[in-house]
Amino acid sequence: MYTGRTEQPCCLCDSPETTARIDIPPRAVQLMKHSAPIAWRDIVGEVSIHFCESDWETVADLVVDLGMNPLSRCNVARASFDLREDFEALLNDTRGEPDQTELEARMLADAEETLAALDDPMTEERAVVEAHVVVDSLAEFDVVSA
């Protein structure tokens, strides 16, 4: 049985045919629609959100040209992520919260590197959109690069 990530439908319109995917830090889940019941600190690794072709064009324009973050319109139920196992219930033991700072720092550094290379013809539009969303999302929570 496969227990890893699966491809999800478009996080905006629920279309099963997606053409683009971006990865965001777990903390950014809080900015998504219907995210209240999700314990973002229990997410292991990045969160992937997918877009269909028509929504991707709109998102790319909004993010790059207008500087808007699309996460508030994205449904978290359509995101792909892994949750840590709940050993507390099994073992009747309490564990500390996972530390997401290393993942956030790495994703933020990668995003800033991508934005610094905007003039490079090898920089993909998807990477630029992802970088803007990561930087903007982490800035919402006052996470800055070291």
Side-chain angles (χ1 to χ4, degrees):
M1 178 170 85
Y2 178 73
T3 59
R5 292 184 186 188
T6 58
E7 186 160 326
Q8 296 293 102
C10 177
C11 68
L12 294 171
C13 70
D14 204 29
S15 170
E17 299 295 324
T18 59
T19 59
R21 183 195 93 217
I22 63 172
D23 295 330
I24 59 174
R27 186 186 305 251
V29 164
Q30 299 172 89
L31 300 173
M32 298 177 75
K33 192 176 358 175
H34 309 301
S35 65
I38 299 197
W40 68 269
R41 287 183 176 94
D42 288 337
I43 296 174
V44 178
E46 296 98 354
V47 175
S48 298
I49 54 176
H50 302 262
F51 298 95
C52 66
E53 188 172 356
S54 64
D55 285 343
W56 176 249
E57 292 173 12
T58 304
V59 166
D61 289 342
L62 288 174
V63 170
V64 175
D65 297 337
L66 300 176
M68 296 177 68
N69 192 334
L71 293 184
S72 64
R73 300 284 186 198
C74 296
N75 189 340
V76 75
R78 297 183 188 121
S80 177
F81 54 87
D82 295 327
L83 289 174
R84 73 181 178 136
E85 295 181 16
D86 188 7
F87 287 106
E88 293 174 7
L90 180 65
L91 302 174
N92 199 21
D93 187 19
T94 304
R95 296 184 345 184
E97 293 177 350
D99 186 10
Q100 304 280 5
T101 55
E102 184 178 321
L103 173 65
E104 290 174 348
R106 180 181 51 79
M107 291 185 80
L108 189 56
D110 290 347
E112 290 172 343
E113 184 179 316
T114 298
L115 294 176
L118 285 177
D119 296 333
D120 185 351
M122 297 302 289
T123 303
E124 298 177 352
E125 177 187 45
R126 188 213 58 80
V128 172
V129 170
E130 180 179 273
H132 278 294
V133 171
V134 167
V135 169
D136 293 346
S137 298
L138 290 176
E140 288 274 332
F141 301 104
D142 296 323
V143 177
V144 293
S145 59

